[in-house]
């Protein structure tokens, strides 16, 4: 009878240690981390303007890296990148459904076409054109799921907001971005 009690006690202690180690690993090393969206490059691909009616467009090349720091995969749904000029929506770029392997990065490249007639409705457009600099804001969101060991599945979303300056004279761009992540 005494041997069974010792055996049960040792088994219970081993199960308790296994559970404690598993929970500790889950909340430290294997804790689901937030996927991040990082703007890698923003290039001015082309400018086509026709005066005096102000027709044409500005094409920006956009490369975004989605960084998945998790030990599980991140699968995201369709998303959209929005570009605003002084509060007015002037362009959209679709981001298709995809998945990212555990602990890897995934590049998404797209072109954003900004139509000049949408820019021209703002009263500040002509002064910005004479100066040769336009300030835009962009926002991108990705929603999906993080899977750890195909056991734990959590909803996740990552978004970025960027202030983008486009300089016409030397055809360069500059951007500053902030990121918001929810799990």
């Amino acid at each position: 009878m005494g041997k069974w009690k010792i055996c049960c006690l040792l088994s219970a202690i081993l199960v308790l240690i296994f559970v404690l180690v598993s929970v500790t690993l889950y909340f430290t090393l294997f804790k689901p981390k937030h996927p991040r969206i990082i703007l890698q490059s923003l290039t001015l691909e082309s400018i086509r303007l026709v005066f005096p009616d102000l027709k044409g467009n500005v094409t920006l090349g956009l490369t975004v890296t989605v960084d998945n720091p998790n030990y599980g995969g991140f699968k995201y749904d369709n998303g959209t990148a929005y570009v605003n000029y002084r509060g007015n929506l002037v362009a959209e770029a679709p981001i298709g459904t995809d998945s990212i392997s555990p602990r890897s990065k995934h590049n998404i490249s797209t072109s954003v076409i900004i139509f000049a007639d949408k820019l021209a409705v703002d009263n500040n457009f002509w002064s910005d054109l004479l100066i040769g600099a336009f300030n835009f804001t962009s926002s991108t969101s990705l929603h999906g799921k993080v899977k750890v060991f195909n056991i734990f599945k959590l909803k996740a979303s990552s978004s970025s907001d960027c202030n983008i300056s486009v300089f016409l004279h030397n055809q360069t761009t500059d951007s500053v971005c902030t990121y918001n992540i929810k799990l």
Side-chain angles (χ1 to χ4, degrees), residues 127-141:
S127 61
D128 288 348
L129 184 63
L130 289 174
I131 293 170
F134 288 94
N135 293 314
F136 298 97
T137 58
S138 73
S139 60
T140 306
S141 294

Side-chain angles (χ1 to χ4, degrees), residues 6-35:
I6 292 173
C7 183
C8 287
L9 182 62
L10 287 175
S11 296
I13 290 172
L14 287 174
V15 168
L16 183 62
I17 289 172
F18 177 76
V19 168
L20 287 174
V21 168
S22 297
V23 168
T24 302
L25 284 174
Y26 176 76
F27 285 110
T28 57
L29 183 62
F30 298 121
K31 179 182 179 183
K33 297 168 187 73
H34 306 296

Side-chain angles (χ1 to χ4, degrees), residues 35-56:
R36 292 182 298 274
I37 299 173
I38 303 160
L39 180 65
Q40 290 298 328
S41 69
L42 181 68
T43 58
L44 186 59
E45 291 181 351
S46 68
I47 300 174
R48 289 183 301 188
L49 298 175
V50 178
F51 293 98
D53 295 336
L54 194 60
K55 301 277 184 195

Side-chain angles (χ1 to χ4, degrees), residues 10-175:
L10 287 175
S11 296
I13 290 172
L14 287 174
V15 168
L16 183 62
I17 289 172
F18 177 76
V19 168
L20 287 174
V21 168
S22 297
V23 168
T24 302
L25 284 174
Y26 176 76
F27 285 110
T28 57
L29 183 62
F30 298 121
K31 179 182 179 183
K33 297 168 187 73
H34 306 296
R36 292 182 298 274
I37 299 173
I38 303 160
L39 180 65
Q40 290 298 328
S41 69
L42 181 68
T43 58
L44 186 59
E45 291 181 351
S46 68
I47 300 174
R48 289 183 301 188
L49 298 175
V50 178
F51 293 98
D53 295 336
L54 194 60
K55 301 277 184 195
N57 59 50
V58 175
T59 304
L60 300 175
L62 178 69
T63 302
V64 176
T65 297
V66 180
D67 182 9
N68 179 18
N70 294 294
Y71 285 92
F74 176 57
K75 183 176 181 180
Y76 58 90
D77 300 324
N78 288 334
T80 305
Y82 299 98
V83 179
N84 293 292
Y85 173 68
R86 298 190 179 265
N88 297 318
L89 181 65
V90 295
E92 294 180 15
I95 299 172
T97 299
D98 206 348
S99 62
I100 303 169
S101 301
R103 302 192 54 80
S104 66
K105 296 180 181 181
H106 181 69
N107 286 335
I108 301 168
S109 297
T110 188
S111 292
V112 179
I113 299 172
I114 302 170
F115 295 99
D117 55 341
K118 289 186 177 183
L119 291 172
V121 296
D122 190 281
N123 295 334
N124 297 304
F125 172 77
W126 292 107
S127 61
D128 288 348
L129 184 63
L130 289 174
I131 293 170
F134 288 94
N135 293 314
F136 298 97
T137 58
S138 73
S139 60
T140 306
S141 294
L142 293 178
H143 303 279
K145 291 184 180 180
V146 174
K147 294 181 188 177
V148 179
F149 299 126
N150 286 331
I151 299 171
F152 305 107
K153 297 178 184 178
L154 300 170
K155 289 185 179 181
S157 64
S158 180
S159 62
S160 68
D161 295 308
C162 299
N163 293 319
I164 303 165
S165 298
V166 177
F167 305 102
L168 299 179
H169 299 299
N170 55 4
Q171 295 190 357
T172 61
T173 60
D174 187 27
S175 64

